[in-house]
Amino acid sequence: MSEPAIEHRRVKVLFSAEQIARRNAELAAEIAQSQPKDLLVVAVLKGSFMFAADLMRELHKVGLAPQMEFMHLSSYRTGMTSSGQVTILRDVESDVRDRDILLVDDILESGRTLAFAIDLLAARGARVTTCCLLEKPGKRAVQVTPTYVGFTCPDHFVVGYGMDVAHSFRELPFIGVIEMPA
Ligand code: IMP
Ligand code: MG
């Protein structure tokens, strides 16, 4: 595939749409093996929207019938550095007490976002497992280990497949790295 030039910047493909689709099917099979009961998928917005939508369809294919909720959290505002603080922009609507929850996020870096979401839902009485599409090793500021991981991600700022830099590039069907102009 040729590398697209967007806003005069090129995005180098790191994980192709085909690779992502194959991995999503594997993740769904792993999740089904855990035999979740009355599963509620909670997607952490915005970055996980595309991954969560594809994963839901794969979960259907392996015979699960999860319900879905969204939680909009923010730790990155604009730019590439973490503010270190997580804020709830929108909370889930359902009562999560005694439910099996699969928390879905795009990328695990410092771990603050995921740890925050796990603590919040666990405090409400949910049984929480987690699925992160990408994991950047060696970047953890808080101790958190996702139950399911799509890919280990090199230590670059990545975009596409729902992930953004300054609100752009979410529409790309693949995960890529922006090549900075020299
Ligand atoms: P953490 O709280 O530091 O683990 O950061 C997790 C959140 O930061 C993710 O859910 C993303 O929304 C965002 N993030 C971290 N690294 C990247 C990246 O390389 N590209 C786009 N977003 C990122
Ligand atoms: Mg996110």
Side-chain angles (χ1 to χ4, degrees):
M1 187 175 16
S2 67
E3 292 168 2
I6 304 158
E7 293 175 6
H8 312 292
R9 292 191 282 189
R10 299 190 77 80
V11 181
K12 190 173 150 47
V13 177
L14 192 59
F15 299 108
S16 70
E18 293 73 20
Q19 277 175 290
I20 296 167
R22 272 198 300 276
R23 189 67 190 121
N24 287 349
E26 291 171 1
L27 288 170
E30 280 183 54
I31 292 161
Q33 273 176 14
S34 72
Q35 299 186 311
K37 302 273 177 304
D38 185 26
L39 182 65
L40 177 64
V41 169
V42 176
V44 179
L45 297 176
K46 297 176 188 168
S48 76
F49 78 93
M50 205 177 275
F51 174 46
D54 285 344
L55 188 64
M56 284 294 277
R57 282 175 278 208
E58 293 302 327
L59 291 173
H60 165 74
K61 286 186 201 166
V62 295
L64 295 181
Q67 295 183 355
M68 181 144 210
E69 277 275 2
F70 301 94
M71 177 180 271
H72 191 179
L73 300 179
S74 178
S75 60
Y76 276 76
R77 293 293 174 179
T78 54
M80 298 186 186
T81 44
S82 169
S83 67
Q85 263 214 324
V86 183
T87 46
I88 305 177
L89 302 179
R90 181 196 182 276
D91 206 340
V92 295
E93 289 168 354
S94 307
D95 183 5
V96 298
R97 179 162 306 280
D98 293 329
R99 294 202 65 174
D100 281 348
I101 288 190
L102 180 70
L103 196 52
V104 173
D105 204 0
D106 52 355
I107 179 159
L108 183 71
E109 196 177 73
S110 75
R112 287 192 193 97
T113 308
L114 197 65
F116 179 90
I118 293 169
D119 290 351
L120 193 73
L121 295 169
R124 294 174 183 167
R127 288 178 297 277
V128 185
T129 53
T130 53
C131 181
C132 291
L133 177 60
L134 301 176
E135 180 181 31
K136 282 185 193 169
K139 302 283 281 188
R140 222 68 80 242
V142 298
Q143 180 59 41
V144 56
T145 306
T147 320
Y148 309 97
V149 175
F151 302 98
T152 299
C153 181
D155 189 13
H156 298 304
F157 198 85
V158 296
V159 296
Y161 199 63
M163 292 173 281
D164 74 309
V165 59
H167 309 294
S168 292
F169 303 105
R170 293 193 198 274
E171 75 285 4
L172 299 178
F174 57 85
I175 297 167
V177 180
I178 299 171
E179 295 185 326
M180 292 297 175

mmCIF file of all heavy atoms in Angstrom, residues 102-134:
data_model
loop_
_atom_site.group_PDB
_atom_site.id
_atom_site.type_symbol
_atom_site.label_atom_id
_atom_site.label_comp_id
_atom_site.label_asym_id
_atom_site.label_seq_id
_atom_site.Cartn_x
_atom_site.Cartn_y
_atom_site.Cartn_z
ATOM 1 N N LEU A 102 -15.810 -5.955 29.898
ATOM 2 C CA LEU A 102 -14.585 -5.923 29.104
ATOM 3 C C LEU A 102 -14.343 -4.461 28.742
ATOM 4 O O LEU A 102 -15.074 -3.868 27.951
ATOM 5 C CB LEU A 102 -14.725 -6.766 27.830
ATOM 6 C CG LEU A 102 -13.472 -6.773 26.950
ATOM 7 C CD1 LEU A 102 -12.344 -7.557 27.614
ATOM 8 C CD2 LEU A 102 -13.783 -7.365 25.569
ATOM 9 N N LEU A 103 -13.325 -3.912 29.368
ATOM 10 C CA LEU A 103 -12.968 -2.514 29.140
ATOM 11 C C LEU A 103 -12.040 -2.484 27.923
ATOM 12 O O LEU A 103 -11.016 -3.169 27.901
ATOM 13 C CB LEU A 103 -12.256 -2.033 30.400
ATOM 14 C CG LEU A 103 -12.043 -0.578 30.692
ATOM 15 C CD1 LEU A 103 -13.327 0.228 30.608
ATOM 16 C CD2 LEU A 103 -11.444 -0.455 32.089
ATOM 17 N N VAL A 104 -12.423 -1.716 26.918
ATOM 18 C CA VAL A 104 -11.659 -1.702 25.668
ATOM 19 C C VAL A 104 -11.010 -0.339 25.471
ATOM 20 O O VAL A 104 -11.692 0.696 25.500
ATOM 21 C CB VAL A 104 -12.590 -2.017 24.470
ATOM 22 C CG1 VAL A 104 -11.867 -1.835 23.147
ATOM 23 C CG2 VAL A 104 -13.123 -3.445 24.585
ATOM 24 N N ASP A 105 -9.695 -0.345 25.306
ATOM 25 C CA ASP A 105 -9.003 0.925 25.060
ATOM 26 C C ASP A 105 -8.054 0.782 23.877
ATOM 27 O O ASP A 105 -7.703 -0.337 23.477
ATOM 28 C CB ASP A 105 -8.247 1.389 26.319
ATOM 29 C CG ASP A 105 -8.030 2.912 26.323
ATOM 30 O OD1 ASP A 105 -8.456 3.592 25.357
ATOM 31 O OD2 ASP A 105 -7.438 3.419 27.288
ATOM 32 N N ASP A 106 -7.673 1.901 23.332
ATOM 33 C CA ASP A 106 -6.832 1.872 22.131
ATOM 34 C C ASP A 106 -5.384 1.559 22.475
ATOM 35 O O ASP A 106 -4.778 0.688 21.876
ATOM 36 C CB ASP A 106 -6.942 3.194 21.360
ATOM 37 C CG ASP A 106 -6.691 4.428 22.222
ATOM 38 O OD1 ASP A 106 -6.519 4.300 23.454
ATOM 39 O OD2 ASP A 106 -6.669 5.545 21.670
ATOM 40 N N ILE A 107 -4.834 2.281 23.435
ATOM 41 C CA ILE A 107 -3.389 2.154 23.673
ATOM 42 C C ILE A 107 -3.058 2.384 25.136
ATOM 43 O O ILE A 107 -3.597 3.285 25.766
ATOM 44 C CB ILE A 107 -2.600 3.100 22.727
ATOM 45 C CG1 ILE A 107 -1.099 3.023 22.953
ATOM 46 C CG2 ILE A 107 -3.079 4.523 22.807
ATOM 47 C CD1 ILE A 107 -0.292 3.513 21.767
ATOM 48 N N LEU A 108 -2.208 1.521 25.633
ATOM 49 C CA LEU A 108 -1.779 1.597 27.024
ATOM 50 C C LEU A 108 -0.369 2.179 27.059
ATOM 51 O O LEU A 108 0.562 1.600 26.499
ATOM 52 C CB LEU A 108 -1.782 0.202 27.624
ATOM 53 C CG LEU A 108 -1.420 0.082 29.106
ATOM 54 C CD1 LEU A 108 -2.527 0.647 29.973
ATOM 55 C CD2 LEU A 108 -1.176 -1.371 29.473
ATOM 56 N N GLU A 109 -0.249 3.331 27.698
ATOM 57 C CA GLU A 109 1.065 3.958 27.757
ATOM 58 C C GLU A 109 1.484 4.107 29.219
ATOM 59 O O GLU A 109 2.074 3.195 29.777
ATOM 60 C CB GLU A 109 1.050 5.289 26.988
ATOM 61 C CG GLU A 109 2.469 5.767 26.688
ATOM 62 C CD GLU A 109 2.478 7.041 25.880
ATOM 63 O OE1 GLU A 109 2.162 8.110 26.434
ATOM 64 O OE2 GLU A 109 2.838 6.973 24.698
ATOM 65 N N SER A 110 1.134 5.221 29.860
ATOM 66 C CA SER A 110 1.469 5.361 31.284
ATOM 67 C C SER A 110 0.623 4.407 32.129
ATOM 68 O O SER A 110 1.010 4.046 33.235
ATOM 69 C CB SER A 110 1.232 6.800 31.755
ATOM 70 O OG SER A 110 -0.150 7.053 31.894
ATOM 71 N N GLY A 111 -0.540 4.032 31.591
ATOM 72 C CA GLY A 111 -1.465 3.165 32.330
ATOM 73 C C GLY A 111 -2.470 3.945 33.156
ATOM 74 O O GLY A 111 -3.381 3.361 33.730
ATOM 75 N N ARG A 112 -2.321 5.261 33.188
ATOM 76 C CA ARG A 112 -3.199 6.069 34.048
ATOM 77 C C ARG A 112 -4.657 5.983 33.621
ATOM 78 O O ARG A 112 -5.547 5.872 34.461
ATOM 79 C CB ARG A 112 -2.758 7.538 34.027
ATOM 80 C CG ARG A 112 -1.487 7.809 34.788
ATOM 81 C CD ARG A 112 -1.278 9.311 34.956
ATOM 82 N NE ARG A 112 0.068 9.606 35.398
ATOM 83 C CZ ARG A 112 1.047 9.965 34.568
ATOM 84 N NH1 ARG A 112 0.827 10.095 33.278
ATOM 85 N NH2 ARG A 112 2.256 10.223 35.052
ATOM 86 N N THR A 113 -4.904 6.036 32.307
ATOM 87 C CA THR A 113 -6.287 6.006 31.814
ATOM 88 C C THR A 113 -6.949 4.684 32.179
ATOM 89 O O THR A 113 -8.051 4.658 32.733
ATOM 90 C CB THR A 113 -6.324 6.199 30.275
ATOM 91 O OG1 THR A 113 -5.577 7.370 29.951
ATOM 92 C CG2 THR A 113 -7.735 6.335 29.767
ATOM 93 N N LEU A 114 -6.265 3.593 31.878
ATOM 94 C CA LEU A 114 -6.848 2.273 32.125
ATOM 95 C C LEU A 114 -7.025 2.023 33.619
ATOM 96 O O LEU A 114 -8.072 1.533 34.051
ATOM 97 C CB LEU A 114 -5.977 1.186 31.490
ATOM 98 C CG LEU A 114 -6.672 -0.158 31.321
ATOM 99 C CD1 LEU A 114 -7.826 -0.056 30.326
ATOM 100 C CD2 LEU A 114 -5.700 -1.238 30.883
ATOM 101 N N ALA A 115 -6.019 2.379 34.413
ATOM 102 C CA ALA A 115 -6.104 2.177 35.864
ATOM 103 C C ALA A 115 -7.278 2.966 36.440
ATOM 104 O O ALA A 115 -8.028 2.469 37.291
ATOM 105 C CB ALA A 115 -4.794 2.598 36.531
ATOM 106 N N PHE A 116 -7.444 4.168 35.957
ATOM 107 C CA PHE A 116 -8.547 5.023 36.399
ATOM 108 C C PHE A 116 -9.894 4.353 36.094
ATOM 109 O O PHE A 116 -10.778 4.269 36.947
ATOM 110 C CB PHE A 116 -8.448 6.379 35.694
ATOM 111 C CG PHE A 116 -9.541 7.343 36.040
ATOM 112 C CD1 PHE A 116 -9.396 8.225 37.104
ATOM 113 C CD2 PHE A 116 -10.717 7.386 35.294
ATOM 114 C CE1 PHE A 116 -10.407 9.125 37.422
ATOM 115 C CE2 PHE A 116 -11.731 8.273 35.605
ATOM 116 C CZ PHE A 116 -11.578 9.151 36.671
ATOM 117 N N ALA A 117 -10.049 3.854 34.855
ATOM 118 C CA ALA A 117 -11.315 3.237 34.434
ATOM 119 C C ALA A 117 -11.574 1.939 35.201
ATOM 120 O O ALA A 117 -12.703 1.671 35.622
ATOM 121 C CB ALA A 117 -11.287 2.981 32.929
ATOM 122 N N ILE A 118 -10.521 1.133 35.394
ATOM 123 C CA ILE A 118 -10.674 -0.122 36.147
ATOM 124 C C ILE A 118 -11.146 0.191 37.569
ATOM 125 O O ILE A 118 -12.115 -0.401 38.067
ATOM 126 C CB ILE A 118 -9.338 -0.905 36.211
ATOM 127 C CG1 ILE A 118 -8.929 -1.406 34.820
ATOM 128 C CG2 ILE A 118 -9.438 -2.068 37.193
ATOM 129 C CD1 ILE A 118 -7.506 -1.954 34.757
ATOM 130 N N ASP A 119 -10.471 1.132 38.215
ATOM 131 C CA ASP A 119 -10.812 1.473 39.607
ATOM 132 C C ASP A 119 -12.245 1.973 39.726
ATOM 133 O O ASP A 119 -12.967 1.609 40.655
ATOM 134 C CB ASP A 119 -9.845 2.543 40.143
ATOM 135 C CG ASP A 119 -8.440 1.991 40.348
ATOM 136 O OD1 ASP A 119 -8.264 0.751 40.245
ATOM 137 O OD2 ASP A 119 -7.513 2.792 40.587
ATOM 138 N N LEU A 120 -12.635 2.794 38.784
ATOM 139 C CA LEU A 120 -13.980 3.378 38.800
ATOM 140 C C LEU A 120 -15.048 2.286 38.701
ATOM 141 O O LEU A 120 -16.004 2.248 39.478
ATOM 142 C CB LEU A 120 -14.108 4.338 37.615
ATOM 143 C CG LEU A 120 -15.291 5.275 37.599
ATOM 144 C CD1 LEU A 120 -15.092 6.372 38.639
ATOM 145 C CD2 LEU A 120 -15.448 5.889 36.211
ATOM 146 N N LEU A 121 -14.876 1.364 37.742
ATOM 147 C CA LEU A 121 -15.891 0.329 37.511
ATOM 148 C C LEU A 121 -15.846 -0.731 38.612
ATOM 149 O O LEU A 121 -16.889 -1.230 39.031
ATOM 150 C CB LEU A 121 -15.688 -0.297 36.129
ATOM 151 C CG LEU A 121 -15.905 0.682 34.966
ATOM 152 C CD1 LEU A 121 -15.434 0.081 33.647
ATOM 153 C CD2 LEU A 121 -17.365 1.115 34.864
ATOM 154 N N ALA A 122 -14.646 -1.049 39.085
ATOM 155 C CA ALA A 122 -14.517 -2.033 40.169
ATOM 156 C C ALA A 122 -15.157 -1.490 41.449
ATOM 157 O O ALA A 122 -15.805 -2.235 42.186
ATOM 158 C CB ALA A 122 -13.054 -2.387 40.389
ATOM 159 N N ALA A 123 -14.987 -0.198 41.688
ATOM 160 C CA ALA A 123 -15.582 0.413 42.885
ATOM 161 C C ALA A 123 -17.106 0.357 42.841
ATOM 162 O O ALA A 123 -17.770 0.380 43.877
ATOM 163 C CB ALA A 123 -15.122 1.870 43.011
ATOM 164 N N ARG A 124 -17.651 0.233 41.641
ATOM 165 C CA ARG A 124 -19.116 0.121 41.488
ATOM 166 C C ARG A 124 -19.572 -1.340 41.499
ATOM 167 O O ARG A 124 -20.739 -1.634 41.235
ATOM 168 C CB ARG A 124 -19.552 0.777 40.179
ATOM 169 C CG ARG A 124 -19.336 2.273 40.173
ATOM 170 C CD ARG A 124 -19.654 2.842 38.811
ATOM 171 N NE ARG A 124 -19.378 4.268 38.764
ATOM 172 C CZ ARG A 124 -19.336 4.964 37.633
ATOM 173 N NH1 ARG A 124 -19.574 4.377 36.478
ATOM 174 N NH2 ARG A 124 -19.079 6.248 37.672
ATOM 175 N N GLY A 125 -18.637 -2.246 41.699
ATOM 176 C CA GLY A 125 -19.012 -3.656 41.870
ATOM 177 C C GLY A 125 -18.949 -4.498 40.617
ATOM 178 O O GLY A 125 -19.490 -5.599 40.580
ATOM 179 N N ALA A 126 -18.278 -4.007 39.571
ATOM 180 C CA ALA A 126 -18.150 -4.796 38.342
ATOM 181 C C ALA A 126 -16.928 -5.705 38.417
ATOM 182 O O ALA A 126 -15.980 -5.419 39.138
ATOM 183 C CB ALA A 126 -18.019 -3.859 37.143
ATOM 184 N N ARG A 127 -16.987 -6.823 37.650
ATOM 185 C CA ARG A 127 -15.799 -7.660 37.456
ATOM 186 C C ARG A 127 -15.173 -7.212 36.142
ATOM 187 O O ARG A 127 -15.780 -7.346 35.073
ATOM 188 C CB ARG A 127 -16.185 -9.143 37.362
ATOM 189 C CG ARG A 127 -16.613 -9.759 38.685
ATOM 190 C CD ARG A 127 -17.035 -11.213 38.492
ATOM 191 N NE ARG A 127 -18.199 -11.321 37.628
ATOM 192 C CZ ARG A 127 -19.456 -11.175 38.047
ATOM 193 N NH1 ARG A 127 -19.704 -10.923 39.331
ATOM 194 N NH2 ARG A 127 -20.470 -11.267 37.206
ATOM 195 N N VAL A 128 -13.968 -6.650 36.223
ATOM 196 C CA VAL A 128 -13.407 -5.963 35.069
ATOM 197 C C VAL A 128 -12.243 -6.737 34.452
ATOM 198 O O VAL A 128 -11.289 -7.085 35.137
ATOM 199 C CB VAL A 128 -12.916 -4.549 35.469
ATOM 200 C CG1 VAL A 128 -12.445 -3.787 34.240
ATOM 201 C CG2 VAL A 128 -14.008 -3.776 36.197
ATOM 202 N N THR A 129 -12.350 -7.016 33.152
ATOM 203 C CA THR A 129 -11.191 -7.445 32.374
ATOM 204 C C THR A 129 -10.936 -6.354 31.332
ATOM 205 O O THR A 129 -11.804 -5.516 31.079
ATOM 206 C CB THR A 129 -11.414 -8.794 31.653
ATOM 207 O OG1 THR A 129 -12.616 -8.713 30.893
ATOM 208 C CG2 THR A 129 -11.509 -9.933 32.627
ATOM 209 N N THR A 130 -9.727 -6.376 30.760
ATOM 210 C CA THR A 130 -9.355 -5.260 29.893
ATOM 211 C C THR A 130 -8.760 -5.767 28.586
ATOM 212 O O THR A 130 -8.071 -6.790 28.551
ATOM 213 C CB THR A 130 -8.321 -4.368 30.601
ATOM 214 O OG1 THR A 130 -7.240 -5.187 31.024
ATOM 215 C CG2 THR A 130 -8.912 -3.663 31.793
ATOM 216 N N CYS A 131 -9.025 -5.039 27.540
ATOM 217 C CA CYS A 131 -8.465 -5.373 26.230
ATOM 218 C C CYS A 131 -7.930 -4.095 25.596
ATOM 219 O O CYS A 131 -8.690 -3.174 25.295
ATOM 220 C CB CYS A 131 -9.549 -5.993 25.357
ATOM 221 S SG CYS A 131 -8.950 -6.463 23.725
ATOM 222 N N CYS A 132 -6.609 -4.050 25.418
ATOM 223 C CA CYS A 132 -5.976 -2.883 24.786
ATOM 224 C C CYS A 132 -5.454 -3.308 23.422
ATOM 225 O O CYS A 132 -4.775 -4.328 23.314
ATOM 226 C CB CYS A 132 -4.805 -2.376 25.613
ATOM 227 S SG CYS A 132 -5.333 -1.632 27.147
ATOM 228 N N LEU A 133 -5.736 -2.530 22.428
ATOM 229 C CA LEU A 133 -5.246 -2.858 21.091
ATOM 230 C C LEU A 133 -3.722 -2.793 21.062
ATOM 231 O O LEU A 133 -3.075 -3.680 20.527
ATOM 232 C CB LEU A 133 -5.844 -1.888 20.066
ATOM 233 C CG LEU A 133 -5.363 -2.073 18.635
ATOM 234 C CD1 LEU A 133 -5.681 -3.461 18.105
ATOM 235 C CD2 LEU A 133 -5.974 -1.001 17.735
ATOM 236 N N LEU A 134 -3.163 -1.748 21.644
ATOM 237 C CA LEU A 134 -1.709 -1.568 21.627
ATOM 238 C C LEU A 134 -1.179 -1.383 23.035
ATOM 239 O O LEU A 134 -1.842 -0.790 23.885
ATOM 240 C CB LEU A 134 -1.324 -0.330 20.818
ATOM 241 C CG LEU A 134 -1.747 -0.271 19.359
ATOM 242 C CD1 LEU A 134 -1.355 1.078 18.769
ATOM 243 C CD2 LEU A 134 -1.135 -1.402 18.557
#
